[in-house]
Amino acid sequence: MALADSETAMDVASLMQDIGDRAREASRAIALASTDTKNAALQQIAANIRARTADILAANARDLEGMKQRGVTGSYQERATLNAARVEAIAGACEDIAKLTDPVGDEIARWQRPNGLDIARVRTPLGVIGIIYESRPNVTVDAAALAMKAGNAAILRGGSDTIATNQALYVAIAEGLEAVGLPADAVQLVPVTDRAAVGALLTGLNGTVDVIVPRGGKSLVGRVQDEARVPVFSHLEGICHIYVDGAADLTMARDIVVNAKMRRTSICGAAETLLIDRAKADTFAAPLVTALQEAGCEVRADEAVRALVPSAKPATGDDWGTEFLDAIIAVKLVDGVQGALDHIARYGSSHTESIITDDAAVAAQFLNQCDSAIVMHNASTQFADGGEFGMGAEIGIATGRMHARGPVGLEQLTSFHYVVRGTGQTRPA
Amino acid sequence: MALADSETAMDVASLMQDIGDRAREASRAIALASTDTKNAALQQIAANIRARTADILAANARDLEGMKQRGVTGSYQERATLNAARVEAIAGACEDIAKLTDPVGDEIARWQRPNGLDIARVRTPLGVIGIIYESRPNVTVDAAALAMKAGNAAILRGGSDTIATNQALYVAIAEGLEAVGLPADAVQLVPVTDRAAVGALLTGLNGTVDVIVPRGGKSLVGRVQDEARVPVFSHLEGICHIYVDGAADLTMARDIVVNAKMRRTSICGAAETLLIDRAKADTFAAPLVTALQEAGCEVRADEAVRALVPSAKPATGDDWGTEFLDAIIAVKLVDGVQGALDHIARYGSSHTESIITDDAAVAAQFLNQCDSAIVMHNASTQFADGGEFGMGAEIGIATGRMHARGPVGLEQLTSFHYVVRGTGQTRPA
């Protein structure tokens, strides 16, 4: 018997609340688990994934067949596709996370007060992390492993297109947790594809969810940012700028600009706008634009650039502040570093910006005054990545100003508390 | 002509949005202001407050007269009352904040990558801070000064009972900002008492407000926590526990328990529940309960305690997890440190808890496993205070797990970003 819509909605709400309650309960156990126990779980999960490769690929084949029938194709389908090598990479990533330093229990700071009190700021787990993602099944394991290693419980809500694959991977996770005596509820996979499940998760499930991490395209992230009643670690867009100052070394600038745009055009750290100092436009504009074009990039430029390099296409107003995620770049002349800062303040997305200059004072001004999560000097914006920062792994990049900003690695998935050690101190009146 | 209700609501919404937009714009100027400029502004504000003492006291007299007519009395009225000494204390607090170290620009961490990239994590201002408070006029200046010193813009929404006093203090702030060339909009006081103004602020005013700090009673904080669509630094309650372990020094325990409860009963760090190790109850219960009673505290105890100390009143179920904020304490026997941890997990508010013991292993277990913002060993819970922690000043205490936890001082009013310094690095394919 089919349920009426209102009954289904109630079912989903109560199912999700139960998941939240179990996550909160399990979060106490994973928070107190030793580093060795957590690492053993991660290694067991990797072993389970390898042992279950056939099951996982069979489930993935069912998902792909369903996507084919629904007409889902292209890059979305490609990202959903697993093969033996990709399954091995998922297991390997889990082992890599086991090797990272456990942040829980770290003393971030410690000091003594004149009355003898010893105060330490110590890292603790955050609690329960909700991860909402789209087609990539590797997120199921990567996100769970990062959350676990930092002592957190995780609630995973993957895309409906890959639910069979995610469930096959989840078996490996649950059995790995139980093998070391941790509750399987420390990682839970939402078992329904109902869209209302996302809505419920975004409410925070009566305070059981501490933070939401969306992994996916702009429409998913936008929905999460708009609807979430709990903190969100995310970036909506990576509209990254490179400013080539008049005091730049042109060869360095050319190499960095081409790399920042063209190494991979689909990542959030790819440059989308090139700003060139008007004072050196006569010398810089043509070689920079030509180098981009020779690398296969479409250049959309303002009139001042096109007057110097007529092969550039005309930019429209919409091109400033657009995340092309493609071999397209917008190019504009600006009046020095202040002009670049003004343009970025207006059109940027607070993700990553880079200045190319040999003038230390100009670089310092840019680094101090540019209010983005990552600001760079003489380096490619494509380094905006937790792995490149030495964090080992990241669950995403955040452009918000609270708690986590920039790459979200293990440390950013922790909180802290104060540990005060006394010898009988009482507070004077 | 009186406006229709819907027109008033629209007016308030548009007034508040304008305040938000101006705060966001002014936040850029205060974020980039030098330490010297910010300190000069704070000193000027202190001087202005002293020079305007007569105006401030006259405004306060009008507020108090209004409160009298509306029948507002007691501690609420007392907190709203200024005199010359209190005005001087407000000015002095402003100067004290000028003396604190500026957190903006601090390198929290810095490291090098194998490819030569130099990565620093550097403190930046948070942005725009909304402060919603009740009758204490000193919050107008304290909160503004702390927000400013950390490079933030502030929007102040004080209680309607003290709006004249707050406006008189605000003149001193605005003139102090302008005297050093900073925009007066870096601190704004909401000029209307309409309740809808709070609702608008809690929406975040289209992304212009980064965080809300409520300062006041439980109903204010509860409303802010329920309705805010932006992060909130707050604690709803301080249900602080002291656990006297069987291995405690009884004299130390007695001194700390009496101090933690009775030094000031109205502050959030006051102890509300005393847990005593059942193993030593025969020895400990009577002297601890008697000491509290002799200090003027009403003791409400469970049956096991009352069997040992019949003078204690019987506790009801409601007494566990109650923030008395008065000379009342709930007392219970528990089964060792694990019993204490279980009780605190069930009834605590994640604020501050203290263990009294001479057993280092038991202390370590408590400090590691108790998930509160502040955990203490052999010290009074009344030390839960930013000043006592050496932070210089605090805007409040937060029990949430995101960004700020425990005392919220200058550092907690900052964010950070990454500064990456290269020498031409491009990212390999």
Side-chain angles (χ1 to χ4, degrees):
Chain A
M1 193 185 80
L3 292 167
D5 276 358
S6 63
E7 285 175 321
T8 309
M10 213 182 303
D11 272 7
V12 171
S14 108
L15 168 82
M16 291 304 296
Q17 187 58 54
D18 182 55
I19 288 175
D21 292 342
R22 286 191 284 137
R24 174 59 66 196
E25 178 66 26
S27 74
R28 289 188 68 187
I30 188 96
L32 298 178
S34 70
T35 304
D36 286 349
T37 300
K38 292 185 287 190
N39 289 347
L42 291 167
Q43 276 147 2
Q44 189 61 50
I45 291 167
N48 292 350
I49 289 168
R50 288 197 183 95
R52 294 179 159 278
T53 300
D55 286 358
I56 293 164
L57 292 179
N60 189 242
R62 290 198 299 282
D63 281 335
L64 293 171
E65 178 58 28
M67 289 168 75
K68 194 172 158 190
Q69 285 173 11
R70 291 189 297 281
V72 178
T73 55
S75 63
Y76 190 88
Q77 186 207 42
E78 200 282 320
R79 288 196 289 268
T81 303
L82 292 185
N83 53 37
R86 285 186 173 186
V87 172
E88 169 54 33
I90 291 171
C94 204
E95 289 171 331
D96 287 344
I97 290 169
K99 287 177 200 141
L100 297 178
T101 303
D102 186 347
V104 176
D106 260 9
E107 276 184 9
I108 306 165
R110 188 163 177 169
W111 64 96
Q112 275 72 40
R113 297 291 300 151
N115 61 6
L117 285 181
D118 173 294
I119 303 181
R121 220 175 138 183
V122 177
R123 281 195 204 285
T124 63
L126 258 184
V128 176
I129 301 176
I131 299 119
I132 302 175
Y133 53 107
E134 294 183 325
S135 61
R136 293 183 194 271
N138 64 302
V139 175
T140 305
V141 179
D142 285 355
L146 277 167
M148 279 170 57
K149 180 71 184 241
N152 301 294
I155 299 174
L156 308 170
R157 207 290 184 178
S160 54
D161 285 325
T162 45
I163 191 160
T165 310
N166 291 338
Q167 282 172 337
L169 288 165
Y170 179 69
V171 173
I173 295 172
E175 290 181 358
L177 286 162
E178 287 178 335
V180 302
L182 286 171
D185 284 346
V187 179
Q188 293 178 80
L189 179 70
V190 175
V192 295
T193 58
D194 199 304
R195 198 176 149 88
V198 174
L201 196 51
L202 294 178
T203 65
L205 300 169
N206 286 317
T208 57
V209 179
D210 293 291
V211 62
I212 302 273
V213 183
R215 291 287 306 268
K218 196 174 160 183
S219 71
L220 170 68
V221 176
R223 181 187 174 197
V224 169
Q225 289 183 348
D226 285 346
E227 292 184 24
R229 298 301 305 263
V230 289
V232 175
F233 294 158
S234 65
H235 65 277
L236 188 64
E237 296 181 299
I239 304 167
C240 304
H241 293 73
I242 292 203
Y243 166 61
V244 177
D245 182 61
D249 175 296
L250 179 58
T251 305
M252 182 194 289
R254 192 169 48 198
D255 290 349
I256 289 176
V257 166
V258 171
N259 182 265
K261 176 71 252 184
M262 296 301 291
R263 172 184 163 272
R264 287 203 200 167
T265 58
S266 62
I267 67 172
C268 60
E272 304 293 3
T273 299
L274 167 63
L275 305 171
I276 302 172
D277 191 348
R278 196 181 309 275
K280 288 292 282 287
D282 287 354
T283 322
F284 287 178
L288 291 172
V289 168
T290 307
L292 284 160
Q293 289 171 329
E294 284 173 356
C297 185
E298 177 181 324
V299 173
R300 301 182 184 175
D302 71 353
E303 282 311 304
V305 172
R306 292 189 69 234
L308 297 164
V309 201
S311 64
K313 296 188 179 177
T316 69
D318 289 346
D319 289 325
W320 318 116
T322 289
E323 187 184 33
F324 298 108
L325 293 175
D326 203 347
I328 305 170
I329 195 166
V331 182
K332 191 181 182 180
L333 301 193
V334 293
D335 291 320
V337 63
Q338 190 58 55
L341 288 164
D342 290 343
H343 180 95
I344 292 166
R346 179 163 175 195
Y347 294 106
S349 62
S350 300
H351 192 293
T352 298
E353 335 293 340
S354 185
I355 181 174
I356 318 300
T357 186
D358 285 344
D359 184 324
V362 169
Q365 183 185 352
F366 186 87
L367 297 175
N368 288 337
Q369 298 192 12
C370 182
D371 180 31
S372 292
I374 304 170
V375 290
M376 297 182 167
H377 175 211
N378 288 349
S380 168
T381 56
Q382 300 244 350
F383 285 113
D385 173 271
E388 293 296 322
F389 273 42
M391 294 178 179
E394 65 171 37
I395 202 166
I397 289 190
T399 52
R401 313 176 68 82
M402 304 295 294
H403 194 90
R405 200 176 187 203
V408 181
L410 283 178
E411 280 188 8
Q412 286 71 36
L413 296 179
T414 64
S415 181
F416 62 87
H417 70 170
Y418 292 94
V419 175
V420 180
R421 294 177 174 90
T423 51
Q425 283 86 345
T426 56
R427 187 168 172 189
Chain B
M1 193 184 81
L3 291 166
D5 277 357
S6 62
E7 284 175 321
T8 309
M10 214 181 302
D11 272 7
V12 171
S14 105
L15 169 82
M16 291 304 296
Q17 187 58 54
D18 182 55
I19 286 175
D21 292 342
R22 285 189 286 138
R24 174 59 67 197
E25 179 65 26
S27 74
R28 289 188 70 188
I30 187 98
L32 298 179
S34 70
T35 303
D36 285 349
T37 299
K38 292 185 287 190
N39 289 347
L42 291 167
Q43 276 146 2
Q44 189 60 52
I45 291 168
N48 293 350
I49 290 169
R50 288 197 183 95
R52 294 178 160 277
T53 300
D55 286 357
I56 294 164
L57 292 178
N60 189 242
R62 291 199 299 281
D63 282 335
L64 292 171
E65 178 59 28
M67 291 169 73
K68 194 173 160 192
Q69 285 173 13
R70 290 189 296 280
V72 179
T73 55
S75 63
Y76 191 88
Q77 187 209 39
E78 200 283 320
R79 287 197 290 269
T81 303
L82 292 186
N83 52 37
R86 286 186 174 186
V87 172
E88 170 54 33
I90 291 172
C94 203
E95 289 171 330
D96 288 345
I97 290 169
K99 287 176 201 140
L100 298 178
T101 303
D102 185 348
V104 176
D106 260 10
E107 275 186 10
I108 307 166
R110 188 163 177 168
W111 63 96
Q112 274 73 40
R113 298 290 301 151
N115 61 7
L117 284 182
D118 175 291
I119 302 181
R121 219 175 140 184
V122 177
R123 281 197 204 284
T124 63
L126 258 184
V128 176
I129 301 176
I131 300 119
I132 303 175
Y133 54 107
E134 294 182 327
S135 61
R136 292 183 194 271
N138 64 301
V139 175
T140 305
V141 178
D142 286 355
L146 277 167
M148 277 170 57
K149 180 71 184 241
N152 301 293
I155 299 173
L156 307 170
R157 206 292 185 180
S160 54
D161 284 325
T162 46
I163 190 159
T165 310
N166 292 337
Q167 282 172 336
L169 289 165
Y170 178 69
V171 173
I173 296 172
E175 290 182 357
L177 286 162
E178 287 178 334
V180 303
L182 286 170
D185 284 347
V187 178
Q188 293 177 81
L189 179 70
V190 175
V192 296
T193 58
D194 200 305
R195 200 175 148 88
V198 173
L201 196 52
L202 294 177
T203 65
L205 300 170
N206 286 317
T208 57
V209 179
D210 293 292
V211 62
I212 301 273
V213 183
R215 290 287 306 269
K218 196 174 160 184
S219 71
L220 170 68
V221 176
R223 180 187 174 196
V224 169
Q225 288 183 348
D226 285 347
E227 292 183 24
R229 299 301 305 264
V230 289
V232 175
F233 294 158
S234 65
H235 66 276
L236 189 62
E237 296 181 299
I239 304 167
C240 303
H241 293 74
I242 291 204
Y243 166 60
V244 177
D245 183 59
D249 175 294
L250 179 57
T251 306
M252 183 194 289
R254 194 170 45 198
D255 290 348
I256 288 176
V257 166
V258 172
N259 181 266
K261 176 70 251 184
M262 297 300 291
R263 173 184 163 273
R264 287 204 200 164
T265 58
S266 63
I267 67 172
C268 60
E272 303 292 6
T273 299
L274 167 64
L275 305 171
I276 301 172
D277 191 348
R278 195 182 309 278
K280 287 293 282 288
D282 287 353
T283 321
F284 287 177
L288 292 173
V289 168
T290 307
L292 284 160
Q293 288 171 330
E294 285 172 357
C297 186
E298 176 182 324
V299 174
R300 301 182 184 176
D302 70 354
E303 283 310 306
V305 172
R306 292 189 69 236
L308 297 165
V309 200
S311 65
K313 296 188 179 177
T316 68
D318 288 345
D319 289 325
W320 319 118
T322 289
E323 187 185 33
F324 299 109
L325 293 175
D326 203 345
I328 305 170
I329 194 166
V331 183
K332 190 180 184 181
L333 300 192
V334 293
D335 292 319
V337 63
Q338 189 59 55
L341 288 164
D342 290 345
H343 181 95
I344 292 166
R346 180 162 174 197
Y347 294 105
S349 62
S350 300
H351 192 292
T352 299
E353 335 293 341
S354 184
I355 181 172
I356 318 300
T357 186
D358 285 344
D359 184 325
V362 168
Q365 183 185 350
F366 186 88
L367 297 175
N368 288 336
Q369 298 191 12
C370 182
D371 180 32
S372 293
I374 303 170
V375 290
M376 296 182 167
H377 175 211
N378 290 349
S380 168
T381 56
Q382 300 242 353
F383 286 112
D385 173 90
E388 292 297 322
F389 274 43
M391 293 178 179
E394 66 171 36
I395 201 166
I397 289 190
T399 52
R401 315 177 67 81
M402 304 296 292
H403 194 90
R405 200 176 187 205
V408 181
L410 283 179
E411 281 188 8
Q412 287 71 36
L413 296 179
T414 63
S415 181
F416 62 88
H417 70 171
Y418 292 95
V419 175
V420 179
R421 293 177 174 89
T423 50
Q425 283 86 346
T426 57
R427 188 168 171 189

